[in-house]
Amino acid sequence: MLQSIEGIYRDGTIELLEIPSEVKESRVIITFLNENGEKKSTNEGISLAELGISKEEAANLRASFATFAEDWERPEMDIYDQL
């Protein structure tokens, strides 16, 4: 089961803002949010230039993924937006 807990990273340590339920020991994945401490809205997009992706490469990626668009846009796939 995946469980997300908000926390604050400061000087090499992470302070959890709540105690995870029913977890005594577990591996974790840490995701750092933008400088303001807020997640970017999916409507804001991603800076491809910051990721080293050119406009031509982005166009090729978009064309490659176009075949999956119908599946991704199905309402039942919205559950993955919450992960």
Side-chain angles (χ1 to χ4, degrees):
M1 176 178 102
L2 295 177
Q3 183 177 9
S4 296
I5 302 291
E6 189 174 349
I8 298 171
Y9 173 84
R10 185 180 299 117
D11 298 325
T13 62
I14 296 172
E15 176 186 338
L16 299 179
L17 298 181
E18 62 182 278
I19 302 299
S21 61
E22 301 179 21
V23 177
K24 293 187 185 245
E25 182 176 319
S26 177
R27 293 182 62 196
V28 298
I29 297 173
I30 308 300
T31 302
F32 290 91
L33 306 176
N34 69 15
E35 303 82 40
N36 298 325
E38 300 172 355
K39 281 188 174 179
K40 278 191 170 184
S41 164
T42 55
N43 294 333
E44 291 179 20
I46 297 170
S47 171
L48 298 180
E50 287 180 13
L51 298 174
I53 299 173
S54 70
K55 288 183 180 182
E56 182 179 283
E57 290 170 320
N60 289 337
L61 287 169
R62 179 180 287 278
S64 298
F65 291 130
T67 58
F68 301 104
E70 184 179 330
D71 288 332
W72 285 338
E73 293 171 1
R74 290 183 179 173
E76 60 268 23
M77 298 299 277
D78 290 346
I79 188 79
Y80 294 104
D81 294 338
Q82 300 172 15
L83 297 177

